[in-house]
Amino acid sequence: MSQCDEEAVCGLAAFGMSLFAQVASMSAGGGVVLICPLSVAGALALVAAGATPASKTEGELLSTLRVSAADKVAEATRAMLSESGGGVSLRVANSVWTSKAILPSYVNLAQTTYDAHASPLPPSYDQGRAPPRQPISPICRTPIFPI
Protein backbone atom coordinates (compact mmCIF):
# COMPACT_ATOMS: atom_id res chain seq x y z
CA MET A 1 0.00 0.00 0.00
CA SER A 2 1.10 3.56 -0.57
CA GLN A 3 1.72 5.94 2.34
CA CYS A 4 -1.58 7.69 1.61
CA ASP A 5 -3.44 4.38 1.71
CA GLU A 6 -1.77 3.44 4.99
CA GLU A 7 -2.88 6.73 6.54
CA ALA A 8 -6.46 6.14 5.39
CA VAL A 9 -6.46 2.54 6.63
CA CYS A 10 -5.10 3.64 10.02
CA GLY A 11 -7.67 6.45 10.18
CA LEU A 12 -10.52 4.07 9.38
CA ALA A 13 -9.23 1.57 11.96
CA ALA A 14 -9.26 4.34 14.59
CA PHE A 15 -12.77 5.34 13.48
CA GLY A 16 -13.92 1.72 13.77
CA MET A 17 -12.48 1.30 17.26
CA SER A 18 -14.02 4.58 18.41
CA LEU A 19 -17.39 3.61 16.92
CA PHE A 20 -17.26 0.20 18.60
CA ALA A 21 -16.35 1.77 21.95
CA GLN A 22 -19.30 4.18 21.69
CA VAL A 23 -21.78 1.46 20.71
CA ALA A 24 -20.45 -0.99 23.33
CA SER A 25 -20.73 1.67 26.06
CA MET A 26 -24.43 2.07 25.23
CA SER A 27 -25.08 -1.69 25.23
CA ALA A 28 -27.44 -2.51 28.08
CA GLY A 29 -26.18 -5.26 30.35
CA GLY A 30 -22.92 -5.77 28.48
CA GLY A 31 -24.53 -7.85 25.72
CA VAL A 32 -22.87 -8.86 22.50
CA VAL A 33 -22.23 -5.95 20.15
CA LEU A 34 -21.97 -6.56 16.42
CA ILE A 35 -21.36 -3.68 14.01
CA CYS A 36 -19.67 -3.24 10.66
CA PRO A 37 -17.55 -0.08 10.91
CA LEU A 38 -16.68 -0.39 7.22
CA SER A 39 -20.36 -0.09 6.27
CA VAL A 40 -20.86 2.88 8.58
CA ALA A 41 -17.73 4.55 7.19
CA GLY A 42 -18.94 3.93 3.64
CA ALA A 43 -22.30 5.54 4.39
CA LEU A 44 -20.68 8.57 6.03
CA ALA A 45 -18.23 8.86 3.13
CA LEU A 46 -21.17 8.99 0.67
CA VAL A 47 -22.67 11.80 2.74
CA ALA A 48 -19.32 13.62 2.87
CA ALA A 49 -18.93 13.25 -0.90
CA GLY A 50 -22.24 15.07 -1.33
CA ALA A 51 -21.42 17.85 1.13
CA THR A 52 -20.40 21.29 -0.08
CA PRO A 53 -16.62 21.24 -0.59
CA ALA A 54 -14.69 22.84 2.29
CA SER A 55 -17.91 23.25 4.30
CA LYS A 56 -18.22 22.70 8.04
CA THR A 57 -20.30 19.58 7.34
CA GLU A 58 -17.67 18.06 5.07
CA GLY A 59 -14.93 18.89 7.57
CA GLU A 60 -16.79 17.30 10.48
CA LEU A 61 -17.54 14.13 8.50
CA LEU A 62 -13.94 13.75 7.33
CA SER A 63 -12.69 14.42 10.85
CA THR A 64 -15.04 11.76 12.22
CA LEU A 65 -13.82 9.28 9.61
CA ARG A 66 -10.21 10.37 10.22
CA VAL A 67 -9.47 10.70 6.49
CA SER A 68 -8.42 13.67 4.37
CA ALA A 69 -11.01 13.11 1.62
CA ALA A 70 -14.21 11.08 1.28
CA ASP A 71 -12.84 8.98 -1.59
CA LYS A 72 -10.07 7.74 0.73
CA VAL A 73 -12.68 5.50 2.40
CA ALA A 74 -13.37 3.71 -0.90
CA GLU A 75 -9.64 3.51 -1.68
CA ALA A 76 -8.78 2.11 1.75
CA THR A 77 -11.64 -0.41 1.59
CA ARG A 78 -10.46 -1.70 -1.78
CA ALA A 79 -6.86 -1.87 -0.54
CA MET A 80 -7.78 -3.78 2.64
CA LEU A 81 -9.95 -6.28 0.80
CA SER A 82 -7.51 -6.83 -2.07
CA GLU A 83 -4.68 -7.62 0.36
CA SER A 84 -6.76 -9.70 2.77
CA GLY A 85 -6.09 -13.01 1.02
CA GLY A 86 -7.71 -16.17 2.30
CA GLY A 87 -10.74 -15.89 0.04
CA VAL A 88 -12.40 -13.04 1.94
CA SER A 89 -15.52 -11.82 0.20
CA LEU A 90 -17.45 -8.74 1.30
CA ARG A 91 -20.54 -7.39 -0.41
CA VAL A 92 -22.00 -4.09 0.69
CA ALA A 93 -25.32 -2.77 -0.58
CA ASN A 94 -24.66 0.96 -0.96
CA SER A 95 -27.34 3.38 -2.05
CA VAL A 96 -28.41 6.97 -1.55
CA TRP A 97 -31.97 8.28 -1.78
CA THR A 98 -32.98 11.92 -1.65
CA SER A 99 -36.25 13.82 -1.77
CA LYS A 100 -34.65 16.47 -3.97
CA ALA A 101 -33.00 16.29 -7.38
CA ILE A 102 -29.59 14.65 -7.44
CA LEU A 103 -26.80 16.26 -9.40
CA PRO A 104 -25.63 13.99 -12.23
CA SER A 105 -22.06 14.50 -11.03
CA TYR A 106 -22.98 13.03 -7.61
CA VAL A 107 -24.76 10.06 -9.20
CA ASN A 108 -21.60 9.41 -11.26
CA LEU A 109 -19.36 9.77 -8.19
CA ALA A 110 -21.54 7.40 -6.13
CA GLN A 111 -21.47 4.80 -8.90
CA THR A 112 -17.82 5.02 -9.93
CA THR A 113 -16.12 5.62 -6.58
CA TYR A 114 -18.40 3.83 -4.13
CA ASP A 115 -20.19 1.24 -6.30
CA ALA A 116 -23.38 2.80 -4.96
CA HIS A 117 -26.78 3.48 -6.46
CA ALA A 118 -28.07 7.07 -6.20
CA SER A 119 -31.60 8.11 -7.06
CA PRO A 120 -34.48 10.29 -5.91
CA LEU A 121 -37.16 8.77 -3.71
CA PRO A 122 -40.36 7.79 -5.51
CA PRO A 123 -43.00 10.57 -5.64
CA SER A 124 -45.21 8.56 -3.25
CA TYR A 125 -42.60 9.09 -0.50
CA ASP A 126 -42.90 12.89 -0.74
CA GLN A 127 -46.69 12.57 -0.54
CA GLY A 128 -46.50 10.82 2.83
CA ARG A 129 -46.97 7.29 1.50
CA ALA A 130 -44.34 4.65 2.00
CA PRO A 131 -42.44 3.61 -1.13
CA PRO A 132 -43.01 0.09 -2.41
CA ARG A 133 -40.95 -2.57 -0.67
CA GLN A 134 -38.34 -3.97 -2.98
CA PRO A 135 -34.85 -5.45 -2.66
CA ILE A 136 -32.14 -2.81 -2.99
CA SER A 137 -29.92 -5.19 -4.93
CA PRO A 138 -29.70 -8.84 -5.95
CA ILE A 139 -27.30 -9.30 -3.03
CA CYS A 140 -29.85 -8.11 -0.48
CA ARG A 141 -32.96 -10.20 -1.01
CA THR A 142 -34.84 -8.78 1.98
CA PRO A 143 -36.98 -5.77 1.05
CA ILE A 144 -36.22 -2.67 3.09
CA PHE A 145 -37.53 0.85 3.36
CA PRO A 146 -35.23 3.80 2.78
CA ILE A 147 -34.36 5.62 5.98
Side-chain angles (χ1 to χ4, degrees), residues 102-113:
I102 301 176
L103 294 174
S105 59
Y106 182 75
V107 171
N108 184 53
L109 176 73
Q111 291 172 341
T112 59
T113 303

Side-chain angles (χ1 to χ4, degrees), residues 11 30-31 51 90 110:
L90 175 67

Side-chain angles (χ1 to χ4, degrees), residues 16-140:
M17 294 302 294
S18 176
L19 176 65
F20 181 79
Q22 288 291 321
V23 172
S25 72
M26 295 184 293
S27 175
V32 175
V33 175
L34 178 64
I35 59 170
C36 180
L38 203 55
S39 292
V40 175
L44 292 175
L46 276 166
V47 174
T52 303
S55 67
K56 181 178 177 183
T57 299
E58 181 192 47
E60 289 176 351
L61 286 162
L62 295 178
S63 175
T64 297
L65 291 167
R66 295 169 176 84
V67 295
S68 58
D71 63 350
K72 296 295 181 190
V73 174
E75 289 175 16
T77 300
R78 282 190 292 273
M80 285 186 283
L81 293 176
S82 69
E83 294 184 13
S84 65
V88 173
S89 176
L90 175 67
R91 293 183 179 193
V92 179
N94 290 333
S95 58
V96 178
W97 297 285
T98 179
S99 61
K100 305 290 182 196
I102 301 176
L103 294 174
S105 59
Y106 182 75
V107 171
N108 184 53
L109 176 73
Q111 291 172 341
T112 59
T113 303
Y114 299 95
D115 289 329
H117 174 77
S119 63
L121 288 167
S124 62
Y125 187 85
D126 287 333
Q127 297 167 2
R129 296 189 314 263
R133 290 181 59 130
Q134 58 188 8
I136 56 174
S137 79
I139 298 166
C140 180

